[in-house]
Amino acid sequence: DTEVTQTPKHLVMGMTNKKSLKCEQHMGHRAMYWYKQKAKKPPELMFVYSYEKLSINESVPSRFSPECPNSSLLNLHLHALQPEDSALYLCASSQDFRRLGNTIYFGEGSWLTVV
Amino acid sequence: AQTVTQSQPEMSVQEAETVTLSCTYDTSESDYYLFWYKQPPSRQMILVIRQEAYKQQNATENRFSVNFQKAAKSFSLKISDSQLGDAAMYFCAYRSTGGNEKLTFGTGTRLTIIP
């Protein structure tokens, strides 16, 4: 089972709403990632969790709040977003963050529209 | 900072023909990995092929092969016998040690397959 599952696939939210994106993997991976991808651009790393601890925060605004409840789950809590935050949010996982050759598996993403 | 450059925003190829996508990168590291990912319209990033910098032999995965020129910092992807399912955005990516374990993507090449 080489799947990273993301929900919801589509989300429309107002600037005052609070919502969450969810990600799940059952491959026993200990590294999980959030990427943001704007149209026609490459993915940009937001956060990395390694062994359930936040390892990297790429200077992401605090209106994005990641959470890793356990090694299989990764959430991204959204609050007071701006229209420019509209993008595809990709979750990914790999066996170990420090092993460079490990395959990073991606989910299909959650399309977020902020109105 | 490491950079990855893909100079071809778009490419097209006749079905069953061969196409080469180019990628160059800039690094001062000696230990690193290079990857090609494809992102079809389904949006899921899928690993196509990987190359470890220490290995001189070019990686091959079925119809996909790379031409890795370490001194020139070049990493091109050759797709043989192109199929309609190969149509996608292709991203070249880089990972290294020393705080650069995150995956750095190029800007992507959109590949169209002409029936």
Side-chain angles (χ1 to χ4, degrees), chain A residues 2 4 9-10 33 35 37 40-43 45 56 58 88 90 94 96-111, chain B residues 6 10 31-33 35 37 39 41-47 50 89 91 95-108 110:
Chain A
T2 56
V4 176
K9 292 197 183 319
H10 298 272
Y33 312 76
Y35 285 84
Q37 187 177 22
K40 298 185 180 181
K41 297 288 187 182
L45 183 67
I56 292 180
E58 290 286 285
L88 178 67
L90 292 165
S94 68
D96 188 315
F97 177 58
R98 298 292 173 189
R99 294 195 175 183
L100 303 181
N102 281 174
T103 299
I104 297 180
Y105 294 90
F106 286 81
E108 291 190 352
S110 294
W111 276 111
Chain B
Q6 292 179 250
E10 296 184 356
D31 183 17
Y32 55 89
Y33 274 80
F35 305 84
Y37 275 86
Q39 188 176 37
S42 68
R43 306 167 303 179
Q44 187 173 19
M45 299 279 284
I46 301 166
L47 178 66
R50 90 190 83 205
M89 190 72 133
F91 291 99
R95 289 186 90 187
S96 73
T97 56
N100 294 308
E101 292 89 348
K102 68 177 186 179
L103 201 57
T104 300
F105 289 96
T107 50
R110 180 167 299 283

Side-chain angles (χ1 to χ4, degrees), chain B residues 77-98:
Chain B
L77 174 69
K78 185 170 83 170
I79 306 173
S80 303
D81 185 25
S82 298
Q83 300 176 0
L84 294 177
D86 296 332
M89 190 72 133
Y90 285 80
F91 291 99
C92 180
Y94 166 98
R95 289 186 90 187
S96 73
T97 56

